[in-house]
Amino acid sequence: MKIKKTSLRKSFEDLGKIKVLVIGDLILDEYLIGSVERISPEAPVPVVWVRNEKQSLGGSGNVVQNLSAIGVSGVVFGRIGEDKAGDSLEGLLLKNSVSKDDLVLLKSKTLPTILKTRIIATHQQICRVDREEVVPLSKEEESSVLKQMELKLKDCSAVILSDYDKGYLTPSLIQSVIALCNQKNKIVTVDPQVSHFFLYKNIHIMTPNHHEAGKALGKKLLSDSEIESACREISEKLTPDAMMITRGEKGMSIYERKTDSFYHIPTVAKEVFDVTGAGDTVITTYTAFVATGMSIADAALISNVSAGIVVGKLGAATVTKTEIEEALQTLGYLDVNA
């Protein structure tokens, strides 16, 4: 598989002309970074001397910052709390090139903003502290979301459902969003949750990892033939245009339902430093490039290369167009003469 350089450059130009709507669970990621020099006298645990702190977008927010990194405008639908973490999260979204008008946020007086705090010492995560309350949207909130989404959808080329099962994407909202997108002829891609797995009917593509797909089907998916069988079985139930199953060190597999064809793409990660957010990068880059008119196979190849880049970085990282082109060329996936 090779991507024509002229095709890649054309897609790069078109990325700046499209807008992608991201709907799902917003999370604020916090990092406390330091070093360990002693064990606590209070309990047999390390004492982390914090030297640096940072916050970044997690959950569907990481999808948004991945879009921004490759020059794509985002429209964001999600929920935050009326708290300090919510203010920080909203500020980070605005910082990632999302306009105030394109932030459609439900602000809860009773629920906290989902906050994940990771404590890191010498590049190793010591522990993670989660603060969240999982409460589904009410029917009134769902109705409000759909009304606002219908207004925003006309300016968008594609919609990404980023489902972390934190209450925003309820079963009825998932089905209503997909129906609305199909009615408006918009590309719909899904980063799924196992609990909602067979609700994502009539979409463009779903991108579970092999553990998620296997759990949904009640079987282990290890070999190429098992993956192919799973793709066909899921596709029979959900009728997507394509299925993508990410496979860790084995790369990813893509199935095009219309042609009944498969692509098995090997992993390109040189060194796995942190897998946080790799799935967000996969669905973001795939969706953006397909929205520019790129083929399913070529967009999948770019998403695989992009994931290989971000796992070599700390935290929920992003990838740039320059990094994508350089990696494609280095790996021999770029046809520079075409």
Side-chain angles (χ1 to χ4, degrees):
M1 291 176 67
K2 282 196 175 188
I3 296 173
K4 295 178 180 179
K5 190 170 184 177
T6 52
S7 172
L8 181 69
R9 289 292 176 85
K10 176 67 166 59
S11 285
F12 279 170
E13 290 176 15
D14 290 344
L15 289 173
K17 302 172 186 175
I18 65 172
K19 188 173 277 191
V20 174
L21 190 150
V22 180
I23 181 167
D25 300 296
L26 290 166
I27 298 169
L28 181 64
D29 284 341
E30 180 177 57
Y31 297 87
L32 305 181
I33 304 165
S35 59
V36 173
E37 296 180 2
R38 63 192 180 97
I39 301 299
S40 171
E42 303 162 358
V45 295
V47 175
V48 179
W49 184 22
V50 175
R51 307 298 290 161
N52 188 25
E53 299 180 35
K54 72 172 187 174
Q55 292 181 326
S56 64
L57 295 167
S60 60
N62 188 40
V63 172
V64 176
Q65 65 184 3
N66 270 274
L67 287 172
S68 176
I70 56 175
V72 178
S73 298
V75 177
V76 182
F77 278 68
R79 178 172 64 184
I80 60 174
E82 291 187 352
D83 50 25
K84 186 177 179 182
D87 293 341
S88 296
L89 204 157
E90 186 172 1
L92 286 168
L93 287 168
L94 292 169
K95 190 177 178 183
N96 276 271
S97 305
V98 181
S99 71
K100 192 78 174 175
D101 288 342
D102 287 334
L103 273 183
V104 185
L105 301 177
L106 285 173
K107 296 187 178 181
S108 174
K109 295 180 183 297
T110 57
L111 298 176
T113 301
I114 300 171
L115 176 62
K116 295 183 179 181
T117 303
R118 294 172 176 86
I119 301 172
I120 296 169
T122 321
H123 305 306
Q124 295 293 320
Q125 189 175 145
I126 302 296
C127 73
R128 193 179 89 185
V129 180
D130 287 8
R131 282 162 277 194
E132 65 183 38
E133 295 290 337
V134 179
V135 178
L137 295 190
S138 67
K139 291 299 179 185
E140 292 76 17
E141 288 171 327
E142 287 184 23
S143 178
S144 174
V145 167
L146 285 168
K147 284 179 183 176
Q148 294 177 87
M149 187 174 179
E150 189 162 9
L151 294 173
K152 293 291 183 184
L153 204 52
K154 62 180 183 294
D155 297 324
C156 298
S157 303
V159 174
I160 298 174
L161 275 68
S162 181
D163 192 354
Y164 281 76
D165 203 13
K166 302 298 183 185
Y168 189 87
L169 286 173
T170 62
S172 55
L173 184 59
I174 288 168
Q175 292 169 321
S176 296
V177 166
I178 293 171
L180 179 61
C181 290
N182 286 331
Q183 180 188 332
K184 303 294 183 182
N185 200 29
K186 303 295 182 181
I187 296 166
V188 188
T189 64
V190 180
D191 189 359
Q193 266 295 319
V194 173
S195 57
H196 295 154
F197 206 87
F198 292 107
L199 293 176
Y200 311 111
K201 293 182 178 179
N202 304 318
I203 59 172
H204 170 66
I205 199 169
M206 183 163 64
T207 63
N209 61 43
H210 64 289
H211 297 299
E212 292 165 335
K215 191 173 180 181
L217 295 173
K219 60 183 77 171
K220 287 190 175 182
L221 306 178
L222 301 175
S223 67
D224 286 358
S225 62
E226 288 169 338
I227 290 287
E228 290 179 6
S229 176
C231 284
R232 287 195 175 102
E233 185 176 346
I234 294 167
S235 294
E236 282 177 12
K237 295 179 180 180
L238 300 181
T239 62
D241 295 329
M243 269 294 301
M244 176 192 293
I245 297 181
T246 57
R247 304 172 63 187
E249 70 277 1
K250 292 183 180 178
M252 63 170 60
S253 296
I254 319 300
Y255 173 61
E256 287 196 54
R257 188 170 63 90
K258 190 175 182 180
T259 58
D260 192 38
S261 54
F262 286 92
Y263 308 96
H264 298 291
I265 307 174
T267 186
V268 297
K270 293 178 182 176
E271 182 180 0
V272 178
F273 187 67
D274 190 343
V275 298
T276 304
D280 297 327
T281 300
V282 167
I283 196 165
T284 303
T285 49
Y286 175 88
T287 304
F289 280 94
V290 160
T292 68
M294 187 172 275
S295 70
I296 289 172
D298 284 355
L301 182 59
I302 287 177
S303 71
N304 186 57
V305 167
S306 300
I309 295 168
V310 300
V311 296
K313 302 178 181 181
L314 177 63
T318 60
V319 64
T320 65
K321 289 183 284 188
T322 299
E323 288 174 319
I324 290 170
E325 183 170 356
E326 288 177 351
L328 287 169
Q329 186 156 350
T330 299
L331 294 162
Y333 288 141
L334 191 65
D335 186 348
V336 295
N337 298 314

